[in-house]
Amino acid sequence: MRKSHSKIDRILASGKMSTEPDWNGTLDNLMTLAVQAAKEYDFERAISYLNTLEDILDSKGFKDNEGHLRIDLHREKGQAYASQGKYDEAIDEYQKILRFCRDNTRLEVKSETFTQIGQLLAKQGDYDRALSYLQRAIGAYRRLDNKAGICRALRNLGVVYLELGEFEEAEINYNDAIDLAAEIGERVLYSDLINNLGAIKNMKGDWRQALKLYRRSLEIYRTENQKRKQAYTENNLAITLSEQGFNDEAFEYFQKAYSTASAIQDASLKLIVDINLADLYLKRGEIKEARQHCDMAEQYLIEAELYNGQLVETKKIAGKIAYSENRYDLASVFYHDAIEISREIGVQYLEAEVLLERGLLNYAIDSHEDALNDLESSYHIFRSLKAEGKREHTEELINSIEKLYLKIFDEMAAEVDRKDRYTKGHSDRVAAFSLLLSKELGLATGMLKTIVAAALLHDVGKVKIDDTILKKKGRLDRNEFAEIKKHPELGVEFLRGKEFPWDIKPLILHHHEKLDGTGYPLGLKGEDIPLGARIICIADVFDALTSDRVYRKAFDTEKALQIMEDDSNMMFDPVILNCFMRMIRQGKADLVINSKTSKDEMYSIWAQCTLEDDGQEISEIPENTGRQFDQVNTTIP
């Protein structure tokens, strides 16, 4: 700094400042010095020169009728502030440029400035305003027929969509821009775009294609001597390699990117690599180093007052570090904060990643219900974003937890089977009917699993009923029927002390309630009967009617439906029953009706609980029934 000020002092003290042309020379010298300092990545010195230049313009009344010097001044200051990560100051400088572009005489300058402001707003997490400025930039560039400018704006638009998790929109913009860049021969711009496209491929699970695009991009940057962009690409490569378990090679690329970021004093890049290195050190079990990089990232974000996706990532890493140290309460706090921020700024992909991490935490502390809630929420976000790699990983975790409970169900089913083989097969079929009906009603996956789990165990209380009653060939007398009616309560009692991730006990308890209040055990009416219990009731009765019993032969399908229809509004919810009857008559349950079930039937039924269609899931019956990124900024800026 002393050297820079002494040079300024020499310029200002020179005897060549008494006339207007001398002032021009002084201002030109200051601008030249500022540009040179920026090229050397000495942004403080560049800003010092530019502030001196601005002071002269303001205090000496220097005439700049065309505004060219002012535009150059604010552009250089904006770029210097942006490189330091001082985004508010940078935006202020670019806004000053727009004051000189109120008409269309400087449409080129205006379009470039719109792009710069949009990019900076995106880094701050202000995505709505960022999209607005970038759309204005595209409009201006199109009026100018500036294809290179359109490419740059589309690239930045894609970055915003990528941050928001709107991968399809991002990919459309990138592909359009790639075609334009190839058409006009813009190699560096083309490289930027295929690099960003690589980020999308990676998020979608096509990591091999992502690596191919990154390496091609890196080759072009090296040829064109684009050190900064080369470092961003090395960061991208490292992220993908790390995710696939190639940690040593990933570490080498992160180190290269970090070294470049430090050398060129690029605060934004250094922040990104700090976060990613923290995560990789954590994977390597080097907790001290992980915390060191995480703390540096957090300190920078606090000082820069940034509230964006990088803050979400930093809190996520802090949570993972706390988790690794068995500080579960602290980890939970970090994850909670990260989820709240991600929802506030609208970054769905990051929200899904944090939900995944919190789900793993909840699983570790045996809070399985919370674990499944988080993992399923994460799964559905990844699925909606078509982030296949992450979706598949999350699905595997969900399945691993659910297998624990299916094993418990299996053990209980085996006990029921030993007591009464009919009851086991009946429960499997009731679960299958309940699943089909729940899907017809459009219920969400979590509700499907609750209903299927309850249906599988709805008759578990019968293991407590005396064999002479349970297997009696004739009709039951009043006292015997009174004993049978206890099985819902006995079932809930049988499950006492066993906690499940799904609220199945009310459905088991109330699956024999009737709509008119004449059912048991509590005589609930109408909508006081849980929705799942109303569904299981219909499936239960239908299977009983269409199955051979010890005291009678099975009714055919149509006869069974007719019997049930006669009891509609008294025993059954008429809307749900109508849906069930339509489903049966359309042949959707033909493979289930009176079928023989295998020992592992419940696993097959359970596997069908996850919806595979792309339609929107809902958690309630339609209204007319009256019922209810381990990735951090992987793009080139």
Side-chain angles (χ1 to χ4, degrees), residues 74-97:
H74 296 308
R75 182 188 289 118
E76 290 295 329
K77 281 181 74 175
Q79 290 173 352
Y81 279 132
S83 296
Q84 291 181 310
K86 299 177 180 178
Y87 300 136
D88 283 334
E89 291 90 335
I91 290 171
D92 286 343
E93 295 301 322
Y94 288 123
Q95 292 285 8
K96 291 174 184 177
I97 293 175

Side-chain angles (χ1 to χ4, degrees), residues 63-241:
K63 302 297 182 183
D64 184 18
N65 295 328
E66 298 298 320
H68 295 304
L69 186 56
R70 288 280 188 179
I71 289 172
D72 290 342
L73 164 66
H74 296 308
R75 182 188 289 118
E76 290 295 329
K77 281 181 74 175
Q79 290 173 352
Y81 279 132
S83 296
Q84 291 181 310
K86 299 177 180 178
Y87 300 136
D88 283 334
E89 291 90 335
I91 290 171
D92 286 343
E93 295 301 322
Y94 288 123
Q95 292 285 8
K96 291 174 184 177
I97 293 175
L98 293 179
R99 296 173 192 166
F100 296 95
C101 307
R102 295 191 182 278
D103 54 30
N104 290 327
T105 57
R106 291 194 176 94
L107 194 56
E108 185 77 42
V109 174
K110 183 185 285 189
S111 55
E112 290 174 359
T113 307
F114 285 152
T115 303
Q116 293 292 342
I117 293 174
Q119 181 180 333
L120 293 170
L121 287 169
K123 288 187 175 184
Q124 290 183 307
D126 193 347
Y127 299 116
D128 287 341
R129 290 179 64 205
L131 288 172
S132 175
Y133 272 97
L134 291 169
Q135 292 287 7
R136 292 164 72 183
I138 291 171
Y141 280 128
R142 281 180 175 154
R143 291 174 63 185
L144 292 165
D145 195 26
N146 184 332
K147 293 181 179 179
I150 294 171
C151 278
R152 288 191 294 272
L154 285 172
R155 177 197 66 195
N156 284 286
L157 199 63
V159 170
V160 176
Y161 284 128
L162 197 56
E163 287 291 313
L164 291 171
E166 297 181 25
F167 299 155
E168 299 301 321
E169 287 290 338
E171 192 165 0
I172 289 169
N173 280 281
Y174 287 146
N175 283 327
D176 288 347
I178 286 169
D179 290 342
L180 272 177
E183 177 185 334
I184 61 179
E186 286 274 356
R187 279 173 53 81
V188 173
L189 188 52
Y190 174 82
S191 185
D192 293 348
L193 292 162
I194 63 171
N195 198 325
N196 292 358
L197 186 59
I200 294 178
K201 296 297 184 185
N202 190 39
M203 291 177 183
K204 284 187 167 186
D206 190 356
W207 61 272
R208 290 182 177 82
Q209 180 64 15
L211 287 177
K212 183 178 179 181
L213 290 167
Y214 290 150
R215 294 187 194 283
R216 173 60 180 147
S217 177
L218 192 59
E219 179 185 331
I220 295 173
Y221 288 144
R222 284 171 177 162
T223 303
E224 300 293 329
N225 196 30
Q226 295 283 331
K227 291 183 179 180
R228 179 172 175 271
K229 294 177 186 256
Q230 181 179 326
Y232 273 94
T233 308
E234 288 165 344
N235 174 73
N236 291 355
L237 264 168
I239 289 171
T240 307
L241 290 166

Side-chain angles (χ1 to χ4, degrees), residues 18 35 40 46 66 160 175 226 255 292 296 332 343 352 360 365 383 387 414 422 458 501 581 603 613 617:
S18 58
V35 171
E40 296 169 359
E66 298 298 320
V160 176
N175 283 327
Q226 295 283 331
Q255 290 286 49
Q292 184 179 24
M296 286 191 289
S332 183
R343 287 173 178 167
L360 293 172
I365 60 176
R383 181 167 161 264
Y422 166 78
H458 79 285
M581 293 171 66
Y603 294 95
D613 60 287
E617 296 178 9

Side-chain angles (χ1 to χ4, degrees), residues 375-386:
L375 290 171
E376 287 182 347
S377 295
S378 175
Y379 169 85
H380 286 297
I381 294 174
F382 285 136
R383 181 167 161 264
S384 70
L385 299 176
K386 295 183 173 59

